[in-house]
Amino acid sequence: MDRRELIIERTVAVKRELAWLGWTKPEHIVHWWGPGNFTATVYEMDVRPGGIWRYSLAPVDGKGDEAYCKATYCEVSEPYRLYYIDSFTDRDWNVAEGSEMPTIIAFEEIAGGTKLTITTRFQEVKQLESAEAMGMIEGYKETLTRLENHFI
């Protein structure tokens, strides 16, 4: 079988309940979501099965395009697991064809913090390879560092 999943694991020095709040409350996520050179704007965040999270990421320096995204929550098991389908959209929130990325965030309480496991599934191998080439792994690493720093 072709590898179509990107799995990022990271332990953050934040209690699981805070990590969960960071991931599910707009007043927190706007401070850390995205790589360090981007700002996040949350337009809607309804964390429940069937709920929608609409957000954008924009380069801090204003150079480059703003990315619009919409996630639909499939499973919300507080404070253990989030499962949503994340997608790129246009400015009117129309999902870009073929951009759907099922994503699972697992929150495991461990000594000294929370182990986060992010699993993102791609429809095709070439989409995974493209995401890796554009820096998705590094972006997630920066994002999780920002999450940790937000609560420290």
Side-chain angles (χ1 to χ4, degrees), residues 21-34:
L21 286 175
W23 218 288
T24 59
K25 299 294 182 190
E27 62 267 25
H28 291 295
I29 206 164
V30 295
H31 295 286
W32 65 269
W33 184 245

Side-chain angles (χ1 to χ4, degrees), residues 5 8 20 22 33 39 50 64 76 99 101 105 122 126 132 146:
E5 286 184 342
I8 305 290
W20 179 269
W33 184 245
T39 60
V76 177
S99 72
M101 297 171 287
I105 316 298
F122 295 85
K126 68 180 182 177
E132 289 174 332
R146 292 177 73 193

Side-chain angles (χ1 to χ4, degrees), residues 2-9 23 33 53 55 81-88 98-106 116-125 127-129 131-132 134 136-137 139-140 144:
D2 294 331
R3 183 177 77 92
R4 295 184 298 147
E5 286 184 342
L6 178 66
I7 300 172
I8 305 290
E9 292 183 339
W23 218 288
W33 184 245
W53 172 27
Y55 65 94
R81 178 179 148 109
L82 288 171
Y83 168 36
Y84 54 82
I85 310 294
D86 204 5
S87 306
F88 290 104
S99 72
E100 296 89 355
M101 297 171 287
T103 302
I104 296 171
I105 316 298
L116 295 167
T117 303
I118 304 165
T119 305
T120 303
R121 182 169 255 296
F122 295 85
Q123 294 178 18
E124 299 176 9
V125 173
Q127 290 172 313
L128 168 61
E129 292 169 349
E132 289 174 332
M134 72 180 230
M136 192 171 188
I137 294 170
Y140 261 131
L144 295 176

Side-chain angles (χ1 to χ4, degrees), residues 10 13 16-17 19 22 27 34-35 40 42 55-56 65 73 75 79-80 88 102 105 107 114 116 137 152:
R10 165 86 186 269
R16 179 174 56 195
E17 288 74 17
E27 62 267 25
V42 174
Y55 65 94
S56 67
D65 294 329
Y73 293 97
E75 178 187 337
Y80 307 102
F88 290 104
I105 316 298
F107 301 76
T114 304
L116 295 167
I137 294 170
I152 292 179

Side-chain angles (χ1 to χ4, degrees), residues 15 24 38 48 51 63 69 75 101 107 110 117 138 141:
K15 290 193 170 287
T24 59
F38 281 79
R48 62 177 175 82
K63 298 176 182 174
C69 304
E75 178 187 337
M101 297 171 287
F107 301 76
I110 61 170
T117 303
E138 294 78 10
K141 288 179 180 179

